[in-house]
């Protein structure tokens, strides 16, 4: 609302202010990753067939529950499923047949067309952390997240070169009533950034508000013909599809907006404790969920999700960056490709309370496997802390820098004449030095990935500057980014209509805090 | 010497003391990794052929230098190379032919046969950091390494479950004269640990001392017929083989001991700034070095090494955990398999001054690629800090814990009936909970990798315990391990002869400090 008010004042200031807005400095954003490297495949064809056969058995024999959703049960009945109470038994092959209408790849449009992303194929789109009720930074410690925090994260996301997507609930703004939060959040994504974003899923009516606000931003007709939001629909694993999530998904599918249909699994609690068992359940759940999505609207864009962690069997705490999570992520990628669906998994996962070494080990394990497993949409790609309870300002910046590593890894190895570098080897010869040779001079600017925040200084200089660790450097970087932030230009008429929509909606409801 | 003295006293104490030594508690060490997952291949066959053709061109047209080593030049002449001064031009195909006698895999024996390792094939053997002149811990900060530090690192390596190898120069004991250091270092590896170890390479005479001491430990005949040391022979890149390293290698090869023949490359300085160019030079250097090794003794065990970092083009500092290093490591793995040689690369690399998030990001990037690139021998697998200038006590323990992740990743996915877990899915059903089911109970102890030091505690407990970060937890763990350390049993006669050898050798030379 503060931003919207500022914008209205800008408009009141007349044409000069408007022109200033339109010409505001645009921050560089890398294009989404187009992989030029293979995927890592941990399962062979025989293993994939076993998993698929078992998943079909789960759907047919055990079935899945669609809870408090008579319309969904009716849709399933019509499609040929055996519905017993809320339990839907899906005959072998039916879900596989129904998902055939789902596109293998789709464009999610951003209001700045240069920031639109293609989700699917060999691409990887990176989006920030989603969902934490707390934030943490070095200055204020750990505390409940507010709308002011939310806006800072959206600004940081806009400023982050390697982040293609503004995300959704980058943190839960707990100072805004729960029934009005989605309006302020969407408003922030739409006005403080020009990258693509996610819609609300916490009530079907809030999904509808998201569609309506997108209509104001993009034009109503554009939204009906194009995908402008990708939203997160979690499955209540094991094998339960609740009415709130399905209701939101119905709204999005009917409006041609994308959904990530995602099992949410802590291994050993919501799925079998073994990897192949978990993959079987993931495949069954995804088949049922995406088939239902296509029953709502054949051809609606959809992503196969897999949010899977392991569990510490001592404490029951979810664990991250583990080898079992890696196996599942690699395997689920193979399942997604088998089904011809875009794939969402991995992220900056960690159980650590601080953006320390544990956080970085676990995050790096997950980011690397995310790239190699063929993920197309990586939610939580930066900023996640403490098992998803906390959005960390410092870790957001640290992780976002590491996302550059993924971009360069994905490029693969150039084998052209310049890449082969034989002239350089000839020029330098045994015992020589390459720094000064022509080939090095011609290539050094682009040859190596360059961090924007890690420390490579000589020890003495580093010691003189106060022996700063990564968290401290990230804290400085984060503040610098927020200082340099400039709001992207937006048509003042659109800005005003969005602000008015939010104000009216909020005025029409009493506050609710749970 | 302290240890040896203690041992002699033990012997003086009679039979009871000897029996106590023999029954001393043995620490659990995991078997070396036997991969059940594929390697990640970033180059296609065409690219590999280009690199091989170019590498042969480098050897033939440009050649390599064997410096101050007339015997080596004569060996090359005899083998059919065109020798001009110190420059050896190797006709196309000759080096490839000469390396055919090198074994694809070999056993390095440990004095405890349970700790012997098989280097090559699909295996991965993990060894600690090598070479830093400084150490760092939270208690004493950064300081020159001493023999007391060295002994602590050997003890920590012995106590580390996921470390298969005791390594070599885990830090440089700068308080011991440079010409006597190798004796104390070998003595520590031989008596404080029963894992396999590395020999000295800093002078040919020190390599001979290493062989002689190994003869005392294993028996002279055993050493002549079996490999009991793997030692690190760095190539002076680009394409220069100096007399010290080659002299040491000659001693080892002639005694049937293993060498890692390893280009040492900071990309853009010692090799072309492009990945394919660097791979070409790596392949040429390795072909020349290993061919020369086989000229010294056909059939001697040998490892193809590739130590490659990129460079920060601003400061000239080497950089670690970068995407370019990953490309080279993946590509060099493919070259090693093409040549049928065991492969050494990757490690706990970082440029960070502290065991902080930067250190962990960079290390994790490198450890993951090390596993997936098919590395057979990973030197520096734990404890490396500050670009290799520092051995970190805390990071040693932190990294060593992460090596457990590699073990579990390498296992792959079990597809047997238990792995498929269909009974569990049937038992639990939609909306149920897996924690209590029979399948979970039967599998939970072995299903998930378990850290030995990372924090999974609830926030409140963690806060009450002082909000400790990973470095602090590692410091405690390190001290606990050193407290619990018990020296592995060693035959008192052998212990005495080793101590006597070291004492006599040291007494026979004046101290040298450079």
């Amino acid at each position: 609302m503060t931003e919207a008010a500022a914008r209205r004042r800008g408009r009141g200031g007349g044409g000069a202010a408007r022109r200033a807005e339109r010409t505001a400095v645009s921050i560089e954003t890398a294009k989404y990753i187009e992989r030029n490297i293979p995927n890592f495949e941990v399962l062979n064809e025989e293993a994939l067939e076993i998993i698929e056969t078992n998943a079909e058995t789960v759907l047919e024999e055990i079935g899945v529950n669609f809870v408090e959703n008579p319309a969904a049960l009716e849709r399933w009945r019509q499609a040929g499923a055996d519905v017993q109470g809320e339990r839907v038994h899906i005959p072998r092959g039916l879900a596989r047949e129904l998902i055939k209408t789902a596109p293998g790849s789709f464009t999610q449009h951003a209001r700045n067309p240069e920031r639109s992303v293609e989700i699917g194929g060999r691409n990887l789109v990176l989006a920030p952390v989603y969902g934490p009720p707390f934030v943490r930074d070095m200055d204020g410690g750990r505390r409940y997240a507010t709308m002011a925090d939310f806006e800072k994260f959206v600004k940081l996301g806009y400023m982050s070169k390697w982040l293609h997507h503004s995300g959704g609930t980058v943190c839960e703004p707990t100072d805004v009533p729960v029934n009005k939060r989605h309006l302020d959040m969407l408003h922030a994504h739409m006005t403080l950034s020009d990258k693509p974003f996610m819609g609300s899923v916490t009530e079907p009516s809030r999904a509808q508000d998201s569609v309506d606000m997108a209509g104001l931003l993009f034009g109503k007709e554009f939204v009906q013909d194009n995908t402008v939001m990708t939203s997160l629909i979690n499955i209540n694993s094991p094998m339960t599809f609740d009415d709130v999530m399905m209701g939101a998904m119905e709204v999005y599918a009917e409006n041609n907006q994308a959904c990530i249909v995602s099992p949410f699994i802590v291994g050993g609690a919501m799925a079998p404790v073994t990897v192949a068992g978990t993959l079987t359940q993931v495949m069954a759940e995804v088949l049922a969920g995406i088939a239902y999505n296509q029953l709502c609207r054949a051809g609606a864009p959809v992503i196969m999700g897999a949010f899977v962690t392991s569990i510490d069997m001592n404490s029951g705490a979810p664990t991250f960056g583990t080898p079992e999570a890696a196996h599942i992520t690699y395997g689920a990628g193979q399942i997604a490709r088998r089904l011809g669906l875009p794939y969402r998994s991995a992220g900056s996962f960690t159980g650590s309370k601080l953006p320390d070494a544990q956080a970085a080990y676990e995050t790096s394990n997950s980011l690397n496997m995310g790239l190699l497993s063929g993920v197309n949409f990586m939610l939580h790609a930066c900023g996640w802390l403490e098992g998803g309870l906390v959005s960390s300002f410092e870790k957001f910046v640290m992780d976002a820098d590491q996302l550059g590593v993924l971009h360069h890894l994905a490029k693969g190895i150039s084998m052209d004449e310049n890449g082969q570098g034989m002239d350089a080897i000839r020029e330098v010869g045994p015992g020589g030095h390459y720094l000064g040779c022509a080939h090095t001079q011609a290539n050094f600017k682009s040859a190596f990935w360059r961090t924007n925040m890690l420390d490579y200084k000589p020890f003495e200089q580093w010691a003189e500057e106060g022996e700063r660790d990564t968290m401290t450097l990230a804290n400085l970087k984060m503040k610098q980014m927020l200082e340099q932030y400039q709001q992207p230009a937006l048509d003042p008429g659109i800005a005003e209509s969005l602000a008015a929509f939010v104000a009216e909606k909020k005025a029409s409801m009493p506050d609710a805090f749970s």
Side-chain angles (χ1 to χ4, degrees), chain A residues 42-379:
Chain A
V42 74
L43 296 169
N44 58 24
E45 180 61 24
E46 188 194 346
L48 281 168
E49 273 170 25
I50 291 171
I51 289 168
E52 180 163 349
T53 302
N54 286 348
E56 292 278 15
T57 300
V58 169
L59 291 177
E60 185 170 63
E61 288 182 21
I62 304 170
V64 297
N65 285 358
F66 276 75
V67 180
E68 293 184 22
N69 194 342
L73 298 174
E74 183 52 32
R75 280 194 175 104
W76 275 116
R77 225 176 261 120
Q78 296 275 341
D82 172 22
V83 179
Q84 307 282 341
E86 295 191 323
R87 183 73 61 94
V88 180
H89 296 268
I90 306 172
R92 198 169 284 275
L94 175 60
R96 196 78 158 82
E97 187 59 32
L98 287 170
I99 70 164
K100 282 185 179 164
T101 51
S105 184
F106 64 90
T107 304
Q108 181 185 350
H109 295 269
R111 70 170 166 99
N112 177 349
E114 286 175 20
R115 306 259 156 100
S116 296
V117 292
E118 184 71 23
I119 300 175
R122 300 192 59 76
N123 302 339
L124 171 55
V125 173
L126 301 167
V129 59
Y130 185 104
F134 296 98
V135 296
R136 177 185 268 278
D137 59 25
M138 281 180 77
D139 309 293
R142 184 187 192 258
R143 59 195 186 270
Y144 275 106
T146 65
M147 195 59 211
D149 293 315
F150 188 98
E151 291 183 350
K152 281 165 73 179
F153 278 116
V154 173
K155 290 175 182 177
L156 290 174
Y158 172 68
M159 299 284 286
S160 296
K161 177 176 177 183
W162 308 113
L163 211 56
H164 317 113
H165 202 283
S166 195
T169 309
V170 286
C171 60
E172 278 285 350
T174 59
D175 58 340
V176 181
V178 75
N179 58 336
K180 301 178 178 179
R181 251 172 228 180
H182 64 292
L183 300 162
D184 285 351
M185 291 195 281
L186 276 162
H187 194 231
H189 282 300
M190 290 176 174
T191 56
L192 302 181
S193 179
D194 63 3
K195 295 184 180 181
F197 55 84
M198 304 171 78
S200 175
V201 296
T202 51
E203 283 288 347
S205 67
R206 295 171 199 159
Q208 189 58 54
D209 287 345
S210 306
V211 172
D212 293 343
M213 285 179 74
L216 297 176
L217 183 65
F218 288 93
K220 204 168 173 177
E221 276 174 34
F222 188 86
V223 169
Q224 286 309 308
D225 295 336
N226 296 281
T227 299
V228 300
M229 281 180 290
T230 296
S231 304
L232 178 61
I233 303 297
N234 280 329
I235 297 167
N236 202 344
S237 301
M239 300 173 281
T240 303
F241 297 80
D242 69 58
D243 58 322
V244 173
M245 281 285 159
M246 288 303 102
M249 186 172 84
E250 288 157 14
V251 171
Y252 285 122
E254 283 155 13
N255 286 281
N256 201 36
Q257 300 306 307
C259 289
I260 306 164
V261 179
S262 198
F264 182 93
I265 290 174
V266 178
M270 287 95 117
V273 77
T274 51
V275 169
T278 298
L279 285 171
T280 300
Q281 186 181 311
V282 163
M283 188 169 191
E285 292 180 351
V286 157
L287 276 169
I290 293 183
Y292 181 65
N293 177 283
Q294 297 297 301
L295 283 176
C296 295
R297 173 162 168 167
V302 67
I303 298 172
M304 167 180 153
F307 178 94
V308 181
T309 79
S310 42
I311 195 171
D312 175 28
M313 284 294 185
N314 280 338
S315 64
T319 52
F320 300 91
T322 63
E324 294 75 28
H327 285 151
I328 293 165
T329 304
Y330 287 128
Q334 292 183 260
I335 291 170
R337 291 190 287 283
R338 190 175 179 89
L339 297 178
L341 296 169
Y343 175 44
R344 169 259 164 148
S345 197
S348 59
F349 298 138
T350 178
S352 186
K353 316 297 183 294
L354 294 172
D356 59 1
Q358 175 177 350
Y361 283 128
E362 293 174 337
T363 291
S364 196
N365 286 346
S366 188
L367 294 181
N368 278 292
M369 92 189 163
L371 178 70
L372 298 188
S373 66
V375 166
N376 300 114
F377 187 82
M378 194 192 290
L379 193 59

Side-chain angles (χ1 to χ4, degrees), chain A residues 341-457:
Chain A
L341 296 169
Y343 175 44
R344 169 259 164 148
S345 197
S348 59
F349 298 138
T350 178
S352 186
K353 316 297 183 294
L354 294 172
D356 59 1
Q358 175 177 350
Y361 283 128
E362 293 174 337
T363 291
S364 196
N365 286 346
S366 188
L367 294 181
N368 278 292
M369 92 189 163
L371 178 70
L372 298 188
S373 66
V375 166
N376 300 114
F377 187 82
M378 194 192 290
L379 193 59
H380 309 300
C382 61
W384 165 293
L385 197 68
E386 205 188 312
L389 284 174
V390 173
S391 293
S392 158
F393 283 100
E394 285 90 5
K395 188 157 179 289
F396 192 101
V397 172
M398 290 155 53
D399 293 338
D401 184 64
Q402 282 290 304
L403 298 178
V405 174
L406 304 189
H407 281 74
H408 279 245
L409 265 175
K411 282 184 186 173
I413 298 175
S414 166
M415 291 302 302
D416 62 14
E417 203 179 307
N418 181 63
Q420 292 179 44
M422 285 298 280
D423 288 348
I425 301 180
R426 285 197 179 90
E427 181 183 337
V428 171
H433 209 286
Y434 284 87
L435 275 183
C437 85
H439 182 258
T440 305
Q441 293 301 312
N443 286 282
F444 84 92
K445 278 191 183 162
S446 61
F448 298 136
W449 167 72
R450 291 171 72 166
T451 177
N452 211 4
M453 66 144 293
L454 298 180
D455 166 74
Y456 297 148
K457 291 175 179 164

